[in-house]
Amino acid sequence: MKVGIITVYEPTTNLGSFLQTYALQEVLKSYGNDVYIVQSHSTRESIAKVVFRINPKREFFLRLKRATYAIQDIKRVKLIKRNNIKRLDGLVYGSDEIWNLDNSYFQDGFFWGENETLPKIAYAVSVGAVDEQRICTNNSFKNSINDFNRILVRDTRTHDIVQKITNVSNDMVCDPTMLIPVDRMSESIKPLKYKYLLVYTYGIDAPLINQIKRFATEHDLKIVSVFFWHIWADQVIECSALQFSTYIKNAEYVFTTTFHGAVFTMLNHKKCCIYPYREKVRSIVLQMQEGEHLIDKDCSYDEFEQTMQLEYDSAAFEERLEKYRFFSHNKLKEAIGCLEK
């Protein structure tokens, strides 16, 4: 079958968007499908927004590197223009927060199948922290997702909202990045010449910055921020999406506040502190029974250090992951069967 994926995939605002797209593509290809990523807008447009952003000027050369890596990453997927999807046999919507209607980027019916007549399923889709009243009173959204053959969601909140407004089968499955072994989403890099604490966050307040800096100093570590520029980091690194996991793997410790930062930290079994800036981060960590690695913004330094030093029970995590992965593969295979004409 020719299958199209409708999702957010550009590795220009964060690396997780591309990684979940790439992973889902690889899984669907392994099932014997010809897989395309449906463009919501042109690659040139998304790259230009990164390169020609006026501020902050200090990031300009880093943004050029980011654009280069983004082009390299996008070549790993097969794109199809939005107006050519009638050539496909069916569509898979998701993963990520493409049903978060509070986000202006996703307020386009393209992301929920408005007026789309091709067979449709959703995989690991999420509404994020959307206002429930807003989404439940959007008639276009409600009518469109009621036309889906199967909806598989990423979190309990999405499950509850979808159950409230549809009669479509609605199971909770793992993010696509958890469907395949982590080494299939990793590529080699030139190792850094020093030991480091990797940071992956949009931004944090001063108290947590101070905890990170103190821990790094006391443990003779450099602070390396991947993808995001932070003045308090010793080094900022731009990389391809598939190099991200390798930088995590090579780190002594990890600090992150993001969903996919947490996922790849767990997949690589790293000692870490995960500050759940959003509820979805806390949810995935607790779902994988790794709550001991969570901290809050008011934690003391002793709590921060104790959490960071916790050994990772790799065997127990992999056993839980394999069960979740097996269940999710089976549900996805069943859903893909609904697309066959």
Side-chain angles (χ1 to χ4, degrees), residues 4-23:
I5 298 174
I6 291 181
T7 190
V8 52
Y9 61 88
E10 297 92 343
T12 50
T13 55
N14 68 74
L15 298 172
S17 295
F18 179 82
L19 287 164
Q20 60 87 17
T21 303
Y22 177 79

Side-chain angles (χ1 to χ4, degrees), residues 246-315:
T246 313
Y247 277 109
I248 289 178
K249 180 181 179 181
N250 291 352
E252 300 298 314
Y253 304 91
V254 176
F255 174 89
T256 187
T257 62
T258 77
F259 180 89
H260 284 106
V263 167
F264 278 89
T265 297
M266 292 188 291
L267 290 176
N268 282 286
H269 311 154
K270 300 307 296 185
K271 291 182 178 180
C272 62
C273 281
I274 300 171
Y275 169 52
Y277 187 76
R278 292 187 176 181
E279 184 55 36
K280 64 181 179 180
V281 182
R282 182 185 304 277
S283 178
I284 187 61
V285 175
L286 293 178
Q287 187 177 352
M288 297 309 298
Q289 299 179 39
E290 296 296 341
E292 63 185 0
H293 299 289
L294 292 171
I295 60 169
D296 59 52
K297 65 179 181 180
D298 299 317
C299 70
S300 68
Y301 178 72
D302 286 344
E303 291 169 329
F304 182 93
E305 184 176 43
Q306 289 170 11
T307 303
M308 193 68 92
Q309 295 280 33
L310 286 174
E311 293 290 340
Y312 206 97
D313 191 340
S314 301

Side-chain angles (χ1 to χ4, degrees), residues 182-201:
V182 69
D183 60 7
R184 290 181 57 189
M185 296 174 286
S186 308
E187 65 182 17
S188 62
I189 59 172
K190 184 178 180 179
L192 300 180
K193 295 180 179 179
Y194 46 79
K195 293 183 178 181
Y196 62 95
L197 186 164
L198 182 140
V199 171
Y200 186 69
T201 178

Side-chain angles (χ1 to χ4, degrees), residues 128-171:
V130 71
D131 178 81
E132 186 170 339
Q133 178 71 10
R134 179 189 183 92
I135 197 169
C136 289
T137 56
N138 186 311
N139 289 328
S140 172
F141 178 80
K142 290 194 297 181
N143 293 336
S144 297
I145 70 169
N146 267 290
D147 284 338
F148 277 61
N149 297 83
R150 189 74 59 86
I151 296 175
L152 302 172
V153 302
R154 196 176 73 177
D155 53 77
T156 54
R157 190 164 191 270
T158 307
H159 174 275
D160 294 343
I161 288 176
V162 169
Q163 191 170 52
K164 182 178 293 187
I165 61 180
T166 77
N167 296 314
V168 184
S169 177
N170 170 20
D171 292 297

Side-chain angles (χ1 to χ4, degrees), residues 73-250:
D73 285 332
I74 289 173
K75 288 180 179 178
R76 300 175 188 272
V77 298
K78 189 156 52 172
L79 299 175
I80 187 171
K81 292 183 178 179
R82 186 171 174 172
N83 58 0
N84 288 333
I85 60 176
K86 295 304 178 186
R87 301 177 185 178
L88 305 175
D89 297 310
L91 298 170
V92 180
Y93 288 72
S95 165
D96 228 312
E97 294 188 13
I98 64 167
W99 288 356
N100 183 351
L101 304 192
D102 286 343
N103 186 329
S104 59
Y105 187 88
F106 299 125
Q107 290 170 6
D108 179 351
F110 167 75
F111 289 106
W112 63 78
E114 185 179 50
N115 300 320
E116 182 52 63
T117 57
L118 284 175
K120 304 183 290 288
I121 65 169
Y123 181 81
V125 71
S126 176
V127 300
V130 71
D131 178 81
E132 186 170 339
Q133 178 71 10
R134 179 189 183 92
I135 197 169
C136 289
T137 56
N138 186 311
N139 289 328
S140 172
F141 178 80
K142 290 194 297 181
N143 293 336
S144 297
I145 70 169
N146 267 290
D147 284 338
F148 277 61
N149 297 83
R150 189 74 59 86
I151 296 175
L152 302 172
V153 302
R154 196 176 73 177
D155 53 77
T156 54
R157 190 164 191 270
T158 307
H159 174 275
D160 294 343
I161 288 176
V162 169
Q163 191 170 52
K164 182 178 293 187
I165 61 180
T166 77
N167 296 314
V168 184
S169 177
N170 170 20
D171 292 297
M172 195 160 76
V173 291
C174 67
D175 187 79
T177 55
M178 303 173 80
L179 281 174
I180 59 178
V182 69
D183 60 7
R184 290 181 57 189
M185 296 174 286
S186 308
E187 65 182 17
S188 62
I189 59 172
K190 184 178 180 179
L192 300 180
K193 295 180 179 179
Y194 46 79
K195 293 183 178 181
Y196 62 95
L197 186 164
L198 182 140
V199 171
Y200 186 69
T201 178
Y202 289 95
I204 50 175
D205 293 333
L208 277 177
I209 293 172
N210 292 334
Q211 309 277 40
I212 292 169
K213 291 172 68 175
R214 178 178 171 183
F215 183 88
T217 298
E218 292 184 359
H219 294 268
D220 196 24
L221 302 165
K222 297 286 189 181
I223 301 172
V224 173
S225 175
V226 174
F227 195 79
F228 298 108
W229 190 91
H230 298 299
I231 195 170
W232 45 270
D234 295 305
Q235 185 172 355
V236 178
I237 291 176
E238 294 288 350
C239 64
S240 75
L242 295 186
Q243 290 174 341
F244 174 58
S245 179
T246 313
Y247 277 109
I248 289 178
K249 180 181 179 181
N250 291 352

